[in-house]
Amino acid sequence: ALLDVCQRRGVECVEMAEMIPRTFEEFYDDAHFTERGSDRVAAGLAEYLAMVGRRPTVEQVDRVMQAAITKLLPNSVPTSI
């Protein structure tokens, strides 16, 4: 269904259903990833973007790093990297 919507709207969509097993190690429930599942999604998207030759911008990397710091050190105040 989602792939059909993407195709109709001309939006790029990455099929990840076959890349991530439907287990409790990857999903909390039918829709939400565990940390391990999120890591698999991130790795799959990174692989796809590398395959199509896209590189993230400095700003995108900065946002991801700040989010990671906040998650690992919730009492810290992240600054721009």
Side-chain angles (χ1 to χ4, degrees):
L2 179 60
L3 293 176
D4 294 333
V5 172
C6 291
Q7 185 176 19
R8 283 195 309 266
R9 294 186 179 191
V11 176
E12 190 170 5
C13 194
V14 179
E15 174 59 70
M16 304 220 32
E18 294 180 13
M19 298 174 69
I20 303 169
R22 302 290 293 183
T23 68
F24 285 115
E25 291 179 339
E26 280 76 20
F27 288 88
Y28 286 114
D29 54 29
D30 288 338
H32 299 96
F33 294 111
T34 61
E35 188 170 342
R36 178 178 169 160
S38 295
D39 289 344
R40 291 185 92 149
V41 170
L45 288 174
E47 181 179 323
Y48 173 79
L49 293 173
M51 182 180 68
V52 297
R54 296 202 184 123
R55 301 284 183 250
T57 65
V58 171
E59 292 80 16
Q60 290 168 325
V61 172
D62 189 44
R63 280 195 306 273
V64 169
M65 293 301 293
Q66 286 185 25
I69 290 168
T70 300
K71 184 175 183 179
L72 293 172
L73 306 168
N75 296 326
S76 70
V77 178
T79 59
S80 185
I81 298 173

